[in-house]
Amino acid sequence: MRRGEAAVAGVILEHSELNRILAHVAGQARLWVATGEGEEAAFLPYRPGIPLRRGPGPTRRTAKEIFFPRTEALFTFHEADGKPRLEPAKVDDGPLVVFGLRPCDARALCLLDPVFEDPLWPDRLYGGRRARAILVGMACSQPSRACFCTSVGGDPAGEEGLDVILVALDDAYLARATTDRGAEWLEGLGFSPAPPEAEAAAARVAETARRALAAVPADGLKERLDGRFEHPVWDRLHERCLGCAACTYLCPTCHCFDIVDEGGPGEGVRLRNWDSCMFALFTLHASGHNPRMTGKERMRQRIMHKFNYYPERQGRPACVGCGRCVEICPVNLDLRQVIAELEGVEA
Amino acid sequence: MSVNALLRETAARLLAEGTVRLVVGWEKGTLPLRTTPLLARTAEQADRLVADATCDQNLAVYLTRFKDEKVALVARPCEARTLVEYCREHRASPDRVLAIGVPCTGMLSRRALERRLSGRLPAAGRLEGDLVICSGEDWEERLPLTDLLEPVCYGCRLPGADRYWRVLGESRPPAGDRYAELDRFRQMAGEERYAAFCRAVERCIRCYACRQACPMCYCPECFSDRSAPTWVGSSDDLSDTMVFHLTRTLHLAGRCVDCGACVRACPVGVDLRHLHLRLGREAEERFAYRPGLDAADRPLVATFRPDDPEEFIR
Amino acid sequence: MSEAWEPKIVAFLCHWCSYAGADLAGISRMQYPPNVRVIRVPCSGAVNPFYLIKALQRGADGVLVSGCHPGDCHYLAGNLVARRKFAMLKALLEHVGLEEGRVQFSWVSAAEGQKFADVIREVTETVRALGPAGRFRKARRALCR
Ligand code: SF4
Ligand code: SF4
Ligand code: SF4
Ligand code: SF4
Ligand code: FES
């Protein structure tokens, strides 16, 4: 939903105002805010006095958890009068505001949307939360050392997926609505219009951030990977990989899940839990056969899904260059380096 | 000759002569002050080897993956203790794995550094003697390495020199009380200990990086991956996550070599080292058994002594 | 429910000794509290510490493992190896806050009907004094978060 013609210009939001505003917002909607620093940085439900995140780059844990939580009950079942009864999970489509996402996290949600909101099999739980969510982003003034959003189509001041974007200036934020919904929301809060200098300052902030970003050769990667399923490049790429799910669980675009039933006699619940293509268990058949036998096949799947299969369907890679996987891989198996190595694969 | 030069030369020779097919070591990583495992198969690749305080994965984890090849393992005391356990458990033997001992004076702790820098992430960094020098766009810090070591390094236990095929330099880890962390935790009352355990486990996202980074977690199928039937639920249920961590700790009773790889691997900062320390101390005090030091004993919980204490049994 | 709370205790009993000891207590008409749910196992050495953790997770207020006296194990040393595992298990669980007394161990032979009854009484009373177990317990999952 892009901003209409009559959209508002930017407004100025004083640092000191922020807490008052968030408290106000929390009174009207479920509010999640980016909080904590370093490995503790995550999105948590707002409570008065919660420290807002300042640090560079994105939070360690992603905003996808708000819409696609690690565990979600789909329905419960029990027996009543000798008959099985299902009780589906209530769709939670109340007002929801997420504050402080980086542009890459908002874009990542746009990449998840076609997966969960496929017209044939829409996911009502995901869709419900997305339906009325207002995403208030914070442009990156200081990318993290592992960020590479501009190499995969993003931007440190990118607006895709956001309803409102804030840019941190020296002593205030410049807030700009990027959708009608965002404009309405922002108007309701009542701020003074931003002077023209503020817009210029914001542009400078974005430009500085852009220059700080390293380039990764991801252009044309989809084509290079076409028909390269059996290429020898896969033989060595995975060797250092431990086969954990640190990279995929903290990736804002990874969305593999597993469905399990839990319960006891006469009742239970069907759950959807995160799962990871990097686990051997992910593809293990009941027969004991595993079509992705070794780390090689699993690593290939992760890379191919992000940079070939997903682009095949959606026209762009399933990576927003947030750099989380780069920063957290326990063995420093760096996705940027993997992409660079794949550059050598003949197209 | 510097340790790195010695190491490269030794590794290159082993590969060139065909004594081993693979050298498992570290090379410079892609992030400042980080290294990454290097699986070198040619003398040329071996020329990238490094061994310094930024090496923080336990390399022995790769030995169980290349179990048919003759391998040289670059080994600090952490890896050497793991090898002792591998020999005890028949995962490796000294004639298949040549341990090249590199000197260690303690690992740089990424977490300690991050704390010290109050969250600033260095864009560049290097070690210079005993100094950690790191910098960002408009700042530089020169910090003594000795203030930034991994907790596991204090009071590190050194396996004897006979554990190595060759030793390139002497390890001098910092002195300290290995159980200090454990004692701090134990000062709390039971209720507080439980609350602290809950708080730690609540953060866990079950990514299993701890398990995968642990050289002693080498089971082909972990109990937590058992799905027919399910042993441990895979949801975000707190008790299931507790069961995972408690059972993993138990499976490492008398086997954990206190390398800290699990703690360093965790992407969200779950630190349960004190659980392993608790059992490590129990093994030592109750059974006079020290994992990683003496391969002559049978595995702790695969054997017994007739006079093992049993004051807790009715 | 207004019924008074009664401790729920899971007892893993070795088939060759404690289980027979329980039998003897029964046929000798000895009184002991009905709070134990007995699970017969081939040997105390066959009790995976995981079972105890699971029992606590799934609602036991206390767990008992009982096997043959040292030297009497049908498999020679199952109980002696188990002794080490249980020492570790108890140390770990109490380290992270399990109340002392919730996991218990005993040696009871087939001839010790009286000892069996005593052990069950003592274990039950200890657990009763501790109250319902809350820690490590799995909560029933509700639908909406
Ligand atoms: S985080 Fe690293 S080690 Fe873990 S699965 Fe990803 S690439 Fe492999
Ligand atoms: S693959 Fe890595 S860099 Fe790309 S979106 Fe996922 S975590 Fe971020
Ligand atoms: S449990 Fe942790 S400290 Fe112990 S051996 Fe495994 S990785 Fe090392
Ligand atoms: S590495 Fe950390 S988050 Fe992952 S399973 Fe282990 S403790 Fe949990
Ligand atoms: S047979 Fe009874 S404890 Fe082993």
Side-chain angles (χ1 to χ4, degrees), chain B residues 123-188:
Chain B
R126 62 183 196 279
L127 295 174
E128 223 177 82
D130 282 339
L131 280 184
V132 181
I133 302 169
C134 44
S135 54
E137 207 170 305
D138 50 4
W139 56 272
E140 187 189 86
E141 296 271 6
R142 305 166 71 85
L143 307 164
L145 175 60
T146 43
D147 294 349
L148 298 168
L149 297 181
E150 272 292 317
V152 292
C153 295
Y154 294 93
C156 169
R157 287 178 168 168
L158 307 180
D162 56 329
R163 292 290 157 204
Y164 305 91
W165 168 77
R166 192 134 306 158
V167 176
L168 305 182
E170 195 194 338
S171 287
R172 277 194 221 87
D177 174 7
R178 291 184 58 229
Y179 293 125
E181 211 172 305
L182 175 62
D183 288 334
R184 268 199 305 281
F185 189 82
R186 292 188 80 183
Q187 269 165 15
M188 292 189 279

Side-chain angles (χ1 to χ4, degrees), chain C residues 45-78:
Chain C
V47 176
N48 187 332
F50 180 75
Y51 302 165
L52 281 78
I53 299 179
K54 269 311 246 203
L56 291 169
Q57 187 200 15
R58 300 316 293 249
D61 299 304
V63 189
L64 167 72
V65 182
S66 190
C68 310
H69 285 273
D72 292 350
C73 175
H74 190 74
Y75 309 97
L76 304 180

